[in-house]
Amino acid sequence: MISFGRSLRRRFLLERGTDFLNHGSFGATPRAVLASAQRWRLRMEANPDRFLRHELPGALRAAAGRLARFVHAEERDVVFVENATSGMNAVLRSLELRPGDEILATSHVYNAVRQTILEVCRRTGAKFVEAKILLPVSDGNSLVKVVKEKFSRRTKLLVLDHIASPTGLIFPVKRIAALARKRGAKVLIDGAHAPGQIPLDIPSLGVDWYAGNCHKWLYAPKGCGFLWSRRGAQAGIHPPVISHGYGKGFAAEFDWTGTRDFSAWLSVPDALDFYASLGAARIKSYCHQLAMQKAREMSLAWQAPCDGPPELHGSLIAIRLPERLQRRDPQRLIKEWMARRRIVVPVMPYGGALWARISAQVYNDPRDYDRLLAIVSGSISGNSR
Ligand SMILES: Cc1ncc(COP(=O)(O)O)c(C=O)c1O
C-alpha cells in the first residue's frame, strides 16, 4: 500500500524546504497527471485540425462521462468550465431576474462570487440578502437556522457554498436546499472545494446547479472546473463566452467556447485514476485526521478557537490567530511567512478577526505544521530554514 506523508511528496512538484499547508487555494497537481496533460497537448500539436475538429468532441464527452460517474451524475448533465468561478458566473449571469427579486447567500460566500452576485443585482435591480454566519459555529443546525431566517417570498435564488472558503465548514446542503425548494427558490451550489474532499452524489442534493473544481482536491491540472445542471434547469444557462454551440444544448454550448488548451479537462480521467490509486476512503480519513489533530494542537497552544467542530470539516479548517497577531495586515503576514519562513498558509479576515486556514493533503506530514504552530505561539522568533 502507498504510504502517505513525506514520501508521497516526490509524486508532486512542490519545492523542498517549504511547509505547504495550502492545498485548498489552488491545489497541487501530481507529476503523473501533468504528464497526461502534456500527452494531450502533444497529440493536439501533431495535427491541430484533426485533433480539434474530429478527436476532441468525443474525448471531451468521454472525460465528462468519467467525471459524471464520479459525482453520480449523467454525462449529458456535466460540462467542463475553466474553474468554479466560471461555472458560478455562467449560472448567475444567465438568470433573468427582476427588480425586487432576492438572491440569498451567506457571509461565507467566496469574494469572486459575491462580486458576481453584486454585478447581477446592479444590472437587474435584484437585491443581495446575506445570512451572517458567526464563528465559531456549534453545529450544522445553526447553519441551517441562519439561512432559513433569511428566506422571504421574494427569494428567487439561494447561492450556497458546499465547503466554505474562509473556514472549510461543510454546509448541510441537502437540508438547506429542501427549504429553498419548498419556498420556490432555485439553488446554485458553489462546490469549489468539495469534489475529492468529501464524497459527492450531486443529483441527490436536490439542487438546480452545482459548480465544482477538479484542480483543487481531485488532482487535475489548473483550469479545470465543471458545472452540473439538473436536466430541467439547463435551458437558458449559457457559458460566459458564447460561441458556435449557442442554442444547441447544454453540452454543445459549453464544450466549445473558442480555441483553447483542452489538456486539463482531458486529463481528468487520469486525475481520477491517481485519486483511485490512493483510495478515496484512505485520502479522506488521512487528511481529515491530520487537519483536525493539528487544528486542535494549534487551538490549545494559541488559546484560540477553531471555526467549528471536526464533524463539520473535511481536510480544511481555520483557527483564530492569537491576540498578539490580530492587528497584523493579513496579506503582509502571508507574504512574510512565505518569504522568510517558507510556510504557505492563508490568513483570512472574518468577522473582525484573523484566522489561519490549514489544509491537509496526502503529501503532508504531521511535522509540516509544527513550525507554524511554534511561530504563532511566539516560541520561534528568527528566520528558520
Ligand atoms: C468557495 C470557493 N468558491 C470559488 C472559488 C474559486 O475557485 P477558482 O479560482 O478555481 O474559480 C474558491 C477558491 O478557493 C472557493 O473557495
Side-chain angles (χ1 to χ4, degrees):
M1 206 187 312
I2 302 161
S3 51
F4 291 175
R6 292 251 160 110
S7 58
L8 212 84
R9 217 171 137 131
R10 283 196 302 271
R11 305 259 199 119
F12 295 77
L13 287 154
L14 294 166
E15 67 190 19
R16 285 166 73 100
T18 294
D19 292 336
F20 191 70
L21 313 181
N22 187 25
H23 191 88
S25 285
F26 309 111
T29 313
R31 291 173 192 273
V33 182
L34 290 169
S36 159
Q38 180 62 359
R39 283 195 297 275
W40 281 110
R41 266 186 227 112
L42 295 176
R43 191 168 149 187
M44 173 172 70
E45 294 306 333
N47 187 333
D49 277 56
R50 183 179 64 211
F51 183 78
L52 291 170
R53 292 181 197 281
H54 307 304
E55 296 174 359
L56 175 72
L60 209 47
R61 282 292 99 211
R66 264 301 293 279
L67 179 61
R69 282 196 293 286
F70 182 77
V71 296
H72 298 271
E74 286 187 44
E75 173 244 302
R76 59 181 164 154
D77 301 331
V78 173
V79 291
F80 286 109
V81 289
E82 198 78 16
N83 44 47
T85 307
S86 291
M88 296 298 286
N89 262 267
V91 176
L92 282 163
R93 299 178 72 186
S94 293
L95 295 179
E96 287 175 13
L97 295 168
R98 297 183 184 175
D101 288 347
E102 291 179 359
I103 301 178
L104 171 58
T106 81
S107 51
H108 266 44
V109 69
Y110 186 67
N111 184 52
V113 176
R114 177 190 294 270
Q115 298 311 316
T116 313
I117 295 174
L118 291 174
E119 158 60 14
V120 169
C121 290
R122 189 196 59 76
R123 194 168 36 79
T124 62
K127 193 174 146 205
F128 177 29
V129 175
E130 185 180 283
K132 275 213 164 48
I133 312 280
L134 299 178
L135 299 182
V137 166
S138 55
D139 55 24
N141 290 337
S142 62
L143 293 172
V144 176
K145 187 164 172 278
V146 285
V147 180
K148 189 176 178 181
E149 281 167 359
K150 288 290 183 178
F151 278 112
S152 84
R153 278 208 309 276
R154 292 181 297 275
T155 310
K156 287 286 179 294
L157 177 71
L158 168 68
V159 178
L160 192 65
D161 298 312
H162 200 166
I163 301 185
S165 164
T167 53
L169 280 169
I170 303 172
F171 278 72
V173 165
K174 206 169 180 166
R175 287 172 63 194
I176 300 176
L179 295 174
R181 266 203 325 276
K182 234 199 249 165
R183 288 161 173 78
K186 299 261 186 279
V187 182
L188 165 61
I189 302 298
D190 180 349
H193 282 287
Q197 193 181 151
I198 54 173
L200 203 51
D201 179 338
I202 294 179
S204 78
L205 295 173
V207 307
D208 295 281
W209 305 283
Y210 192 107
N213 272 329
C214 304
H215 56 222
K216 286 188 191 284
W217 300 90
L218 267 185
Y219 305 124
K222 286 158 191 58
C224 191
F226 70 90
L227 177 66
W228 172 90
S229 174
R230 185 170 61 75
R231 194 80 43 80
Q234 290 173 2
I237 300 297
H238 306 292
V241 174
I242 302 292
S243 186
H244 301 299
Y246 185 68
K248 294 184 180 162
F250 189 54
E253 289 209 24
F254 281 83
D255 279 2
W256 184 271
T257 57
T259 308
R260 68 190 305 279
D261 179 353
F262 291 88
S263 60
W265 299 354
L266 293 168
S267 54
V268 160
D270 287 309
L272 290 171
D273 283 346
F274 181 87
Y275 185 84
S277 74
L278 301 181
R282 272 188 83 213
I283 298 173
K284 181 169 175 281
S285 150
Y286 179 85
C287 298
H288 176 72
Q289 281 173 28
L290 180 55
M292 297 308 117
Q293 177 200 326
K294 288 297 159 181
R296 199 163 42 244
E297 288 175 23
M298 288 175 190
S299 169
L300 282 172
W302 303 347
Q303 298 189 339
C306 295
D307 63 71
E311 60 273 19
L312 288 184
H313 292 89
S315 320
L316 195 63
I317 184 166
I319 310 97
R320 198 183 197 275
L321 289 175
E323 277 318 307
R324 186 171 65 77
L325 295 174
Q326 282 298 333
R327 262 161 288 284
R328 293 290 304 275
D329 175 332
Q331 291 310 320
R332 288 183 68 168
L333 206 49
I334 293 170
K335 233 172 154 176
E336 183 183 312
W337 284 344
M338 183 153 6
R340 290 184 43 214
R341 315 286 199 167
R342 299 188 71 183
I343 297 173
V344 181
V345 69
V347 175
M348 309 269 191
Y350 186 87
L354 295 183
W355 302 74
R357 190 193 70 183
I358 57 168
S359 297
Q361 192 37 268
V362 291
Y363 51 73
N364 284 122
D365 179 281
R367 290 166 293 176
D368 292 350
Y369 302 79
D370 292 345
R371 283 190 319 116
L372 174 68
L373 199 152
I375 286 165
V376 173
S377 304
S379 55
I380 296 182
S381 46
N383 281 351
S384 52
R385 287 202 191 174

